[in-house]
Amino acid sequence: MKFLRHHLPSFLLWLVVFYFLSERSIFRYQHMGAGVDIGLFENLFYNIIHHAIAVTSLGVDGKIHHYFADHINWYVYPLSLLYYIFPLVESLLIFQAFVLSVPILILPFFKGESRYQWIYPLLYALFLPIYWIQIFDFHPEVIWIPLFFLFYYFWKQKSKYWVLFFVLSLLVKEECALVWIVFALIHWRSNQKQSLKIGILSLVYFMIAIILLIGIQNSTTNNPMPAHWERYQNPILALENLHLFPYLFLFLNIPFLFLQFKNKLILCLLPYILYSITSSFEVNKTPFTHHSFIAIPIIMIGFMESVEKIHSKNKSLFAYLSLTVSIFLFLFFGPLTKSYSYRKEFMNPDHSGTDYKTLRGLLVDKTIVSNIPQYLSNRTTVTLFLPNQKPTADYVVFYYFPADPQILPIPSGYEWKETISERIQIFKRKEN
């Protein structure tokens, strides 16, 4: 009974957050507001299942390529089994909602005190980045978040299970190795033996990951540089976009009153800060993307440990103050407000919810070029329509958004085939 009383508040909170994340992301997807990356991963899973190879025609340069030319994430293989059993985008979004919300259930295990029972789980539930990650798109690297929480729990308990979760988290994405290298350095004095193992294994894995990225990228595009490295080749443009970084920094840290900076664990985010600042791409500097996934558990744990080191009389004061700030940010900048979305028109329910069903069943097994490939990704080949590229697919499918009713001229080499529901234009390639 004591166990039930301790975990009941967090369990009820988890149910609410899990449902909300699932419902909002599915609503956005079904109302034509999904990001392109969700199509990339569905197309990837489709090809793994049907062709036994991890390739996708979305991302990088718009050509079919091995996913490991983009990122090294080994979880795409087990996740393809989920898509095999439930071949729906909604199943991927529900899975991601579960992964993002499950730390609410993990936090009460850290300690038996009331703060871990409901205050810290509620603080996590109010943390805006988990909503930005979930509602806008799908990314399997969010598995890092619960894995790091579990690693740190067993690390503090001095249980050997930390090894399991360390290895599992290392396989999430190549940049995770950089976090573990810094983690090994900051724990060198207190735990040399284990830190040495973590540091060496992480460094070796990072080097292998870079070799894989370069090798696979070079074999498909004859470009020796790994994908996305072009973001770091223009320092002038990176400086021009530097004004976006303070928004990322503040949205991540204000809810926790910057107390996490009193904990040395925050140093693990130095690689994340460096590649965010030096990137010339806006997506690495804005808080409205999935790139903040790596910071979430580290900031949360750093805050909790900092509060626990404060004098006992002030612990509750700082916990409640942080909770007040988090509630304010959630109410005025969170998913309940339109300002939450930088593409406001996509959050408005202007669409009947039937267009996505029509698109999902269009032109089965045909190659397609489209401005909304994420709704046609349940096939072998689908590519993003780019005005400066000449399409070569069997069909061009163009979707008209009410907020951007531009008229697409008939692409060269194609002829008009049909119009569906006044918003879906289909062009067929001319036969020679």
Side-chain angles (χ1 to χ4, degrees), residues 275-306:
Y275 62 68
S276 296
I277 291 176
T278 56
S279 172
S280 58
F281 278 43
E282 292 185 6
V283 294
N284 292 113
K285 289 186 169 69
T286 166
F288 304 107
T289 70
H290 68 282
H291 294 276
S292 59
F293 80 94
I294 206 163
I296 291 173
I298 295 171
I299 289 175
M300 186 75 204
I301 292 173
F303 168 76
M304 292 191 304
E305 290 197 338
S306 296

Side-chain angles (χ1 to χ4, degrees), residues 152-171:
Y152 203 77
Y153 169 75
F154 288 111
W155 173 268
K156 284 296 185 179
Q157 296 292 321
K158 301 187 185 302
S159 168
K160 291 183 179 180
Y161 284 111
W162 72 261
V163 178
L164 171 64
F165 292 104
F166 159 65
V167 173
L168 290 176
S169 64
L170 191 62
L171 301 177

